[in-house]
Structure formats: C-alpha cells, structure tokens
Amino acid sequence: MQEKLKKIREEALARLEAAASSDAINEIRLAYLGKKGELTEVLKGMREVAPEDRPKVGGWVNDTRKAIEDKLAEVQAAVQEKALEARLEAETIDVTMPAKTAQIGHRHPNTIALEELERVFIGMGYEVVEGPEIEYDYYNFEALNIPANHPAKDEQDTFYVNKEIVLRTQTSPVQVRVMEKQKPPIRIIAPGRVFRSDEVDATHSPSFHQIEGLVVDKGITFADLKGTLAQFAREMFGQETKVKFRPHHFPFTEPSAEMDVSCFKCGGKGCRMCKGSGWIEILGCGMVHPKVLRMSGIDPEEYSGFAFGIGLERITLLKYEIDDMRLLYENDDRFLKQF
Ligand code: DAH
C-alpha cells in the first residue's frame, strides 16, 4: 500500500511540475483527487485494510493528498502569475504613439463664400437678417407684385404646403417683411434657403440658397445700385473685376437688370468658365417697384430703393471652380476638405 501511494505521489508531482496551463492542472487534479481519481480509489480500498492498520494507512493517504494539494496550489499560482505577466506584456501602452484624433468636420464652401459676402456688405453698413423658409404665398408672390396668374406661381415650380403657404421660392419675401416692420433707411441682406420643384442635375437642386439685398431711403437711385454692386463684385472676385448690367424683367423691380462680372478666370478673354463670352452672370437686381413699396407701407413718393438677389451656390461654384452643384450636397469629407 505504502509503495502504491508513493508511486501515485511521485507521478502526480512530476506531472504537476510539467503542467503549463490551468487546464492541464485541472486535469491532473481530477485524475488524482477527483471522484474517480487514483487517490480516491485507494481510499475506497480502505475497507480491505485491517481495522488496526487503518489509522496508519489513513495517515499515509492524507499525507499523499496534502502533498499533491500543496503542489497543485503552488503550480497553479505560478501559472497564473505567468499568464498575468504575459497579459501585461501584451497590453503595454506605448505613450509615444500618436493619439487618434477625433474627426472634425470642415466648413462648407457655401458657408465660406457666404461669410465672405456678408463681410463685404457688413463693411458697407448692411445688417444681416433672416426670414422664414415656410412662407405665406402673400409674401412670396403677391406682395412682390407677382399676381395669382403669374407663371412663377405655377405649381410645377413651387412646393405648396396649402393654398396660402409655400416653401419660399426666393429670399425676396424678406424684403417685404423688413419694410413692413422697419422705417427707412433700410440696408439689409437676407441669406437663406429657398425651394423649387426642380430636378437635380449639375446646375439645379430643389433646395438652394440665395442672398437678398434691399436698400430703401430718400433719393436712392440706380447709380447707388451700380456703385454698390460693382464694389461688391470687386471685393468678392478681385479688384480688376468689371461689371455689366443687362436689362431684364422682375415683377418686383422697375427697371430691372441682371449683372455680369468679367470672367475672373480669363480676365474677359473668353474661356471654358465663361463659355467663351468673357462675362459671367451673378445676380438679378433693380429699383424696388413703387407698388411693392406701397404694399409694404412705404410711400414711393418719399422713398425709393434698390434690391438684388444673388444665388449663393452660383458664387460658390464659380469661386472654387466646382463644376457640379451636386458635390455641394453630398457632404463628402474628401470634397469639403479642399476649401
Ligand atoms: N428673387 C429673384 C429670383 O429668385 C432674384 C432677384 C432679382 C431678387 C431681382 C431681387 C431683385 O431682389 O431685385 O430669381
């Protein structure tokens, strides 16, 4: 019996000595101390031991068990320590590694162009105001001298919320809102989003931006309009920029014009940008129609004014030589970061 126990002990200790993982150690534990383990089997055999020898044999068994258990604990601790060391090693933090920076967005080219434009007009004493994007039909059309049967009111062009309310198709209604509330002198620009039932293509979008301008005071003439817009063009596109006014028609101005600037790419010689003409159209403008002044509560006998409407996207596309408007709305970081 003693021989057998000695053999079990030696074998168990040797196996434990060689064990390299918690799993291996557990396996050994089961093999010797488990329900069907070798040592347990020996204990079961105690029945056959003569009663007077049992205390002695029991002592041997306990000694063996204790030796195996002690070794188990020792090996287990060693294995755990090794595992911890390996983990610490693997998780070492390299404090010299560059940090992951958060992705910060980039100002939209429309915003950059608008802020530049606002700087120019603020410098000339203008105030920046805003009006609602969801607008009464009255302000969007009627009060701007666009009567009910005017083609601009065609449902094809306009998003109607109901008969009286539309998504504004232009920023011009802000003119009326300002004139109703404020006595001249008035000098405002009103940037904002506008909506038209247009198909998306390289030059159209159902939602885009305009900047409205309005000046009303005593003795305002077309010369003021020309001087102001020429100054704006020089500051926005370069001091050598020339301007040209072509007669046009808008219901809310009389006379009305469109303003072209000399092509800032080729200087007027003609290139791809200006389609060979040397000129680029950038805005609509005119002297505020007396009917519009009167409807807004301003006496056209006493006051006169000029107004203009600029397409923001058009300015942005020209300024940054972007050839497809859709790029402005895709919010692709790689595109935006170029400006
Ligand atoms: N609202 C016009 C449009 O959307 C642009 C415009 C033209 C505005 C002439 C004006 C103006 O204030 O005087 O086409």
Side-chain angles (χ1 to χ4, degrees):
M1 186 62 121
Q2 200 170 9
E3 270 310 300
K4 192 170 179 195
L5 285 168
K6 195 172 163 222
K7 211 177 134 234
I8 289 175
R9 176 201 293 231
E10 277 167 7
E11 201 185 278
L13 296 192
R15 279 181 68 184
L16 280 170
E17 196 69 55
S21 70
S22 285
D23 282 352
I25 293 167
N26 249 333
E27 213 170 281
I28 297 166
R29 185 201 308 279
L30 282 176
Y32 294 94
L33 309 179
K35 257 189 195 155
K36 286 182 183 149
E38 285 192 45
L39 205 60
T40 319
E41 290 300 319
V42 172
L43 268 179
K44 281 181 192 159
M46 286 289 273
R47 250 174 278 135
E48 283 133 48
V49 174
E52 64 272 23
D53 291 336
R54 279 182 196 165
K56 189 173 66 193
V57 176
W60 294 340
V61 173
N62 280 343
D63 285 350
T64 308
R65 179 180 202 80
K66 183 149 188 337
I68 296 175
E69 278 175 351
D70 285 353
K71 188 73 183 170
L72 258 166
E74 180 195 317
V75 174
Q76 181 76 289
V79 163
Q80 273 170 358
E81 185 159 337
K82 252 202 183 141
L84 180 65
E85 258 168 39
R87 221 181 75 207
L88 289 177
E89 182 84 19
E91 287 177 2
T92 304
I93 295 166
D94 179 357
V95 292
T96 65
M97 217 156 84
K100 275 192 198 151
T101 49
Q103 279 280 333
I104 297 174
H106 186 279
R107 285 195 323 158
H108 195 279
N110 263 350
T111 310
I112 302 172
L114 176 60
E115 285 177 1
E116 195 168 331
L117 182 148
E118 287 179 347
R119 251 197 316 276
V120 173
F121 281 103
I122 288 169
M124 293 195 273
Y126 285 63
E127 194 187 334
V128 180
V129 301
E130 281 182 15
E133 292 174 2
I134 302 168
E135 184 57 283
Y136 287 105
D137 177 279
Y138 173 78
Y139 286 110
N140 196 83
F141 297 119
E142 211 83 7
L144 289 164
N145 196 30
I146 304 171
N149 57 357
H150 195 280
K153 287 195 69 174
D154 195 322
E155 285 191 62
Q156 297 296 310
D157 303 324
T158 312
F159 295 112
Y160 279 88
V161 175
N162 59 38
K163 256 177 119 54
E164 275 109 57
I165 297 174
V166 299
L167 300 189
R168 67 178 177 189
T169 62
Q170 48 186 355
T171 44
S172 305
V174 187
Q175 288 186 29
V176 179
R177 288 180 172 272
V178 170
M179 287 191 284
E180 280 184 351
K181 274 218 220 72
Q182 200 179 315
K183 283 223 136 315
I186 292 169
R187 252 193 315 234
I188 58 110
I189 54 169
R193 194 187 285 274
V194 301
F195 306 85
R196 291 188 195 176
S197 183
D198 279 339
E199 295 288 337
V200 173
D201 65 25
T203 53
H204 291 87
S205 161
S207 155
F208 56 101
H209 300 79
Q210 290 185 336
I211 303 107
E212 194 73 16
L214 175 71
V215 172
V216 182
D217 203 351
K218 287 184 175 150
I220 297 290
T221 70
F222 204 92
D224 297 307
L225 177 157
K226 283 172 79 176
T228 302
L229 294 179
Q231 177 64 15
F232 156 68
R234 283 192 293 267
E235 290 199 36
M236 197 74 187
F237 299 109
Q239 285 304 317
E240 61 295 335
T241 307
K242 292 189 180 62
V243 296
K244 173 169 95 172
F245 292 86
R246 283 178 290 102
H248 200 76
H249 171 263
F250 297 105
F252 35 88
T253 43
E254 180 59 34
S256 306
E258 280 184 331
M259 185 177 94
D260 296 348
V261 293
S262 54
C263 180
F264 41 84
K265 185 85 197 274
C266 65
K269 284 197 230 37
C271 67
R272 206 174 73 95
M273 182 98 131
C274 56
K275 300 199 181 81
S277 74
W279 295 97
I280 296 171
E281 178 204 320
I282 63 157
L283 57 83
C285 58
M287 300 305 291
V288 183
H289 200 294
K291 268 170 101 176
V292 173
L293 290 173
R294 198 174 299 117
M295 277 190 279
S296 307
I298 291 178
D299 181 2
E301 300 297 330
E302 193 180 354
Y303 293 104
S304 56
F306 68 83
F308 52 91
I310 307 170
L312 176 60
E313 278 78 0
R314 196 168 162 71
I315 301 283
T316 306
L317 298 183
L318 287 170
K319 214 171 154 51
Y320 299 113
E321 297 185 36
I322 302 163
D323 56 12
D324 192 328
M325 188 168 171
R326 285 167 288 202
L327 289 165
L328 293 178
Y329 305 118
E330 283 166 0
N331 278 339
D332 187 329
D333 227 24
R334 292 165 303 177
F335 167 76
L336 295 176
K337 287 215 160 104
Q338 296 173 60
F339 305 98

